[in-house]
Amino acid sequence: MKAIQIKAERQMAVVDVPAQEMGSGEVMLRLDYVGFCGSDLSTYLGKNPMVKMPVISGHEVGAVIEKVGADVPEILKPGMTVTVNPYTNCGKCASCRNGRVNACQYNETLGVQRNGAMREFIVLPWEKVIPAGGLDPRTCALIEPMSVGFHAVNRAQVTDIDTVVVIGCGMVGMGAIVRSALRGATVIAADIDDEKLALAKEMGATYTVNTMTEDVHARLQEMTGGFGPDVIIEAVGSPVTYQMAVNEVAFTGRVVCIGYAKTEVSFQTKLFVQKELDIRGSRNAQPADFRAVIHYLERGTCPVDRLISNEVSPEGAPEAMQQWAENPGKVFRILVKF
């Protein structure tokens, strides 16, 4: 069976791996489309501290059920288009005990801590297979990254009276923009790329700020009547953007952090107290977030084609990843078509 494996830093190849056997309670999926995400790029660059290499990449899935094992509910049938919840949960840690299984202490994500979905077929527990309604497999490959942004909006408790700044207009940030707009919030998209900012407006942002060329503080003060934004969602993972979020959020505002900063970040901690801030992490997504994204995509208003930067065969994946590494700011998603 054909699979795409990251062997070591900047070493990716198409390899042949044994087919998985399917047992009771499991489902075999035929992969149609699998997306490369930022964690795959970090792994390729040797900058992902959580990865176990060599690893088969991929956890953004658009697939069709090939067959089902015994004891699989009838809701899952061969021929159905599905996506995948790529996370595990132990059921025993504090997060699982509190019902927040997306943040399981011992989570293993497909393509990171365990081999992923960049292969022709994959066998998974039926509980991790999510029916995708009327969506096609290509669109399904966008569900997981957008669900991470949707989940961050849940963590921020965004309502229709909030002004929300989303820093970083990649796929996850776009998910946060869409969900915030759907909740009726006023959304400000912040990024260094004008093309991404233009697309962010199409997806629900009311205003945009280029953090490279504009005075961010002055612009945010202007847009919020001098109060500052009620919510800032950090979807970059840079010390600069982490500090920006704390500095610019309104007094008694909420800061939600999605991105992993690769180095330590220094803060004026007096702002935590003076502003009485809520600073919250947001990790992965919950099943309800997946369902919400599917519901949104079924409307047909999402510019799916503009979110897919490149579509390649498995053999073209190594070159596509190398090109992404050379120019990371211009890519939303690379899909591999099996």
Side-chain angles (χ1 to χ4, degrees):
M1 178 175 64
K2 187 183 298 184
I4 299 171
Q5 185 183 68
I6 300 177
K7 296 175 174 291
E9 182 178 335
R10 292 183 180 271
Q11 294 182 31
M12 175 181 284
V14 178
V15 298
D16 187 60
V17 298
Q20 296 173 287
E21 295 185 5
M22 187 180 67
S24 177
E26 293 184 322
V27 176
M28 178 178 289
L29 304 182
R30 183 182 76 245
L31 283 306
D32 280 6
Y33 290 89
V34 184
F36 279 125
C37 78
S39 64
D40 295 315
L41 178 61
S42 294
T43 298
Y44 178 76
L45 294 174
K47 297 180 179 179
N48 189 343
M50 296 180 291
V51 74
K52 297 178 181 179
M53 288 210 282
V55 67
I56 296 172
S57 303
H59 55 254
E60 301 177 357
V61 170
V64 174
I65 295 178
E66 182 75 6
K67 54 184 177 179
V68 299
D71 300 319
V72 172
E74 290 187 4
I75 191 174
L76 298 176
K77 301 179 183 296
M80 289 181 65
T81 299
V82 297
T83 191
V84 166
N85 181 332
Y87 325 119
T88 64
N89 56 282
C90 69
K92 300 176 182 178
C93 70
S95 300
C96 291
R97 184 178 63 180
N98 292 329
R100 291 163 64 176
V101 295
N102 58 292
C104 174
Q105 182 177 352
Y106 304 105
N107 167 66
E108 293 186 346
T109 299
L110 287 173
V112 185
Q113 295 93 347
R114 58 189 174 127
N115 282 325
M118 286 276 179
R119 57 178 102 182
E120 294 177 276
F121 296 91
I122 190 169
V123 173
L124 294 168
W126 72 263
E127 295 92 340
K128 298 300 180 181
V129 179
I130 302 173
L135 300 179
D136 60 271
R138 182 169 176 264
T139 302
C140 286
L142 304 180
I143 293 171
E144 191 274 341
M146 293 192 76
S147 73
V148 176
F150 272 47
H151 182 66
V153 174
N154 283 341
R155 293 284 293 140
Q157 297 176 301
V158 170
T159 73
D160 59 345
I161 63 171
D162 287 321
T163 297
V164 179
V165 174
V166 178
I167 306 176
C169 294
M171 274 296 301
V172 171
M174 288 297 186
I177 289 167
V178 168
R179 187 58 159 165
S180 296
L182 288 173
R183 291 190 173 194
T186 299
V187 185
I188 303 169
D191 201 278
I192 62 173
D193 187 277
D194 285 331
E195 292 181 22
K196 289 185 176 180
L197 291 172
L199 183 54
K201 291 200 76 170
E202 289 186 36
M203 299 190 70
T206 306
Y207 306 106
T208 62
V209 178
N210 188 312
T211 58
M212 185 73 73
T213 62
E214 298 182 76
D215 184 329
V216 175
H217 178 72
R219 291 277 284 131
L220 294 183
Q221 289 293 299
E222 174 190 348
M223 294 172 187
T224 61
F227 290 105
D230 303 287
V231 174
I232 296 186
I233 296 174
E234 199 287 335
V236 176
S238 160
V240 172
T241 50
Y242 262 79
Q243 291 165 345
M244 182 188 299
V246 170
N247 292 341
E248 299 299 337
V249 74
F251 274 62
T252 66
R254 288 100 73 197
V255 175
V256 174
C257 307
I258 310 175
Y260 283 97
K262 307 301 187 294
T263 58
E264 292 184 0
V265 184
S266 298
F267 294 103
Q268 295 186 56
T269 54
K270 68 178 183 180
L271 295 179
F272 298 3
V273 178
Q274 286 179 340
K275 292 186 176 184
E276 199 175 49
L277 298 181
D278 289 331
I279 300 176
R280 306 172 184 178
S282 182
R283 184 181 180 193
N284 299 331
Q286 293 188 338
D289 301 309
F290 283 85
R291 293 197 301 272
V293 174
I294 291 169
H295 180 66
Y296 160 68
L297 290 172
E298 284 182 321
R299 296 181 178 191
T301 58
C302 179
V304 169
D305 290 341
R306 295 191 60 193
L307 295 174
I308 299 170
S309 306
N310 198 4
E311 193 175 308
V312 299
S313 67
E315 290 74 18
E319 182 181 357
M321 182 61 80
Q322 181 180 344
Q323 291 173 351
W324 189 14
E326 292 169 356
N327 193 9
K330 291 294 183 181
V331 172
F332 278 108
R333 271 303 174 270
I334 297 170
L335 299 188
V336 178
K337 185 179 189 304
F338 283 88

